[in-house]
Amino acid sequence: AHQLDLIPKILNLIQAFPLSLKRDAIAILPDIAEDSDHKTIVVALQYIMTDDTSCTIPILDALSILHVPSDLCHEMTTHVVATLASAPPVDLPVIIKFLMQTCDLDKSDRVISAMRKQLSCMDAPSESGADDSTTLVIGALASGLRFRPEFASKFLSTISSIGSREAMLIVDYWVLLILSSFSHTKSAAL
């Protein structure tokens, strides 16, 4: 009975917490939650994310651990896609990871389109290594494409439908290189 009262109390208090404590509380929610609490937590986190964008990253991290019902997952994905354009580059790796893990294949065209549009604004990583966010985004893409081969196939289909090389974006080349490295790794292992 004690556990049943803890999650609603934390969720009610989170809004009043200072930012650093709010992020920490969000991060521990999946560790202390029972399976029966997941939907309540997801709904609360969805509200917090809409209300306070500075908590987006810890919320997406928490959501990746929680079981999110499919109807709420679609809502969260739609919300995250809408915030993609305004997200700071340092947040993009976690956002990309979340989108690629949670996206329904039948809605993947919209997610891929939004990712292509946002990521096309990023520069290629410099030789000095100063642009860590781009490197982390490429790593998130690679991880997502490896984790969801069906999403990789959809992304490849999108790239294949591009009419000319001039219309390709930097992210398209990143995806092609990532996918070719998967093939190279597989053939090298044989």
Side-chain angles (χ1 to χ4, degrees), residues 63-66 73 93-105 138-154 178-179 181-182 186:
L63 290 172
S64 68
I65 298 169
L66 297 169
C73 190
V94 174
I95 292 171
I96 297 300
K97 177 184 169 194
F98 175 81
L99 288 173
M100 292 179 78
Q101 284 180 349
T102 61
C103 176
D104 287 337
L105 279 183
I138 294 170
L141 277 170
S143 176
L145 293 169
R146 185 177 300 274
F147 179 73
R148 299 267 320 267
E150 66 280 3
F151 190 88
S153 178
K154 285 279 211 173
I178 290 166
L179 293 176
S181 75
F182 294 166
K186 288 178 187 174

Side-chain angles (χ1 to χ4, degrees), residues 116 157-169 172-173:
R116 288 182 73 244
S157 294
T158 300
I159 294 170
S160 297
S161 69
I162 297 171
S164 69
R165 210 170 35 173
E166 291 78 26
M168 288 186 63
L169 304 172
D172 300 329
Y173 291 105

Side-chain angles (χ1 to χ4, degrees), residues 116-123 170:
R116 288 182 73 244
K117 182 177 179 182
Q118 178 59 30
L119 297 179
S120 68
C121 300
M122 298 187 80
D123 294 324
I170 186 79

Side-chain angles (χ1 to χ4, degrees), residues 1-185:
H2 177 67
Q3 178 71 16
L4 295 175
D5 296 339
L6 182 62
I7 297 298
K9 287 179 183 176
I10 291 173
L11 292 173
N12 286 333
L13 291 172
I14 281 179
Q15 292 291 38
F17 289 166
L19 183 58
S20 63
L21 185 56
K22 186 185 291 190
R23 288 179 176 164
D24 290 343
I26 290 167
I28 66 161
L29 282 172
D31 296 331
I32 61 173
E34 299 289 330
D35 289 345
S36 61
D37 296 322
H38 286 203
K39 186 172 183 176
T40 303
I41 293 170
V42 169
V43 170
L45 292 179
Q46 183 177 15
Y47 174 78
I48 293 168
M49 189 165 68
T50 302
D51 190 48
D52 185 356
T53 58
S54 64
C55 291
T56 298
I57 298 308
I59 289 172
L60 294 180
D61 279 338
L63 290 172
S64 68
I65 298 169
L66 297 169
H67 170 73
V68 182
S70 60
D71 58 327
L72 292 176
C73 190
H74 173 66
E75 286 179 38
M76 293 299 293
T77 301
T78 300
H79 177 75
V80 172
V81 166
T83 63
L84 190 59
S86 62
V90 71
D91 291 353
L92 288 175
V94 174
I95 292 171
I96 297 300
K97 177 184 169 194
F98 175 81
L99 288 173
M100 292 179 78
Q101 284 180 349
T102 61
C103 176
D104 287 337
L105 279 183
D106 57 335
K107 297 179 183 26
S108 63
D109 292 337
R110 196 171 70 98
V111 171
I112 290 169
S113 175
M115 287 172 44
R116 288 182 73 244
K117 182 177 179 182
Q118 178 59 30
L119 297 179
S120 68
C121 300
M122 298 187 80
D123 294 324
S126 63
E127 287 184 27
S128 66
D131 193 3
D132 290 338
S133 61
T134 303
T135 303
L136 292 173
V137 164
I138 294 170
L141 277 170
S143 176
L145 293 169
R146 185 177 300 274
F147 179 73
R148 299 267 320 267
E150 66 280 3
F151 190 88
S153 178
K154 285 279 211 173
F155 214 122
L156 189 57
S157 294
T158 300
I159 294 170
S160 297
S161 69
I162 297 171
S164 69
R165 210 170 35 173
E166 291 78 26
M168 288 186 63
L169 304 172
I170 186 79
V171 67
D172 300 329
Y173 291 105
W174 292 344
V175 168
L176 291 173
L177 287 171
I178 290 166
L179 293 176
S180 70
S181 75
F182 294 166
S183 299
H184 177 70
T185 304

